[in-house]
Amino acid sequence: MTATAVPTPGSPSSQTTSAEVHAAGIPVEHEQADSFRTAASVSVEPALLSSDQILNLLPHRYPFALVDRVVAYEPGLRAVAIKNVTFNEPHFQGHFPGRPLMPGVLIVEAMAQVGGLIVTQMPDLPKGLFVFAGIDEVRFRRPVVPGDQLRISCELLSLKRKRFGKVRAQATVAGELVCSGSLMFSLVD
């Protein structure tokens, strides 16, 4: 058997360029090739909460489990999480053929799930299902495509009667703002 060298993250050979994508015969637009390069150069932060731990805290399951790992976490205050956007996700089949874009509603849902992580381990909150109660001032700044890595930051703004909450959320890709807004949630019986 012969050994195959695997490039390490950050090494010159791990960077995929537009020319390499085209030379490989992969038919993509220039913007998509740039997104491949960006995804290859993303640094990996250590997880404070792994995907298994997140599954124990949130009720969402495939295909709606939209948080891959948590990289900063202060229960009851704030959370920062990562969502790796891959071409294998089912919504890309129809949104849109030939130009896959992550639906804005799923970006907002991912932000809401990170917001949910903030309150899941607050000891004095009743157990139950928190659902959307409102979405304010949400703006989308740029498309999210396969290969992007969403970095989602949420901060708890208020919690009333242990049943109604509000978070300020934003999602970025490579430091560029993608989406931001305020999300309200309530506990259902």
Side-chain angles (χ1 to χ4, degrees):
M1 293 180 71
T2 59
T4 304
V6 177
T8 58
S11 70
S13 59
S14 71
Q15 303 293 319
T16 305
T17 65
S18 300
E20 290 170 328
V21 169
H22 290 292
I26 302 170
V28 295
E29 298 295 320
H30 180 70
E31 297 160 356
Q32 289 174 316
D34 288 340
S35 113
F36 287 125
R37 181 175 55 250
T38 301
S41 64
V42 170
S43 64
V44 177
E45 297 176 69
L48 293 178
L49 293 175
S50 68
S51 58
D52 289 336
Q53 292 168 312
I54 293 165
L55 287 174
N56 288 328
L57 294 172
L58 293 176
H60 306 84
R61 295 297 177 262
Y62 178 84
F64 279 94
L66 300 175
V67 180
D68 293 324
R69 73 179 180 278
V70 174
V71 295
Y73 188 53
E74 295 177 61
L77 298 174
R78 68 180 198 91
V80 180
I82 302 297
K83 162 68 176 130
N84 293 307
V85 181
T86 68
F87 190 74
N88 296 335
E89 296 174 56
H91 50 268
F92 287 127
Q93 291 179 15
H95 200 270
F96 295 96
R99 183 150 188 212
L101 301 176
M102 184 174 183
V105 296
L106 293 182
I107 297 169
V108 173
E109 174 62 28
M111 294 189 315
Q113 289 180 23
V114 175
L117 287 169
I118 295 172
V119 298
T120 57
Q121 293 197 336
M122 293 177 69
D124 32 334
L125 282 184
K127 297 298 177 203
L129 183 64
F130 283 96
V131 297
F132 269 130
I135 303 170
D136 287 339
E137 302 171 5
V138 169
R139 299 290 179 267
F140 300 97
R141 310 288 183 202
R142 82 163 194 73
V144 175
V145 298
D148 283 346
Q149 185 181 68
L150 281 174
R151 182 180 180 90
I152 303 163
S153 303
C154 290
E155 177 185 3
L156 184 65
L157 298 177
S158 66
L159 189 60
K160 297 178 182 171
R161 296 185 294 177
K162 297 181 182 180
R163 298 186 65 82
F164 305 97
K166 184 175 186 177
V167 296
R168 181 80 186 143
Q170 75 171 23
T172 61
V173 170
E176 187 178 346
L177 184 63
V178 168
C179 181
S180 62
S182 296
L183 312 174
M184 283 71 64
F185 55 89
S186 67
L187 180 67
V188 293
D189 295 324

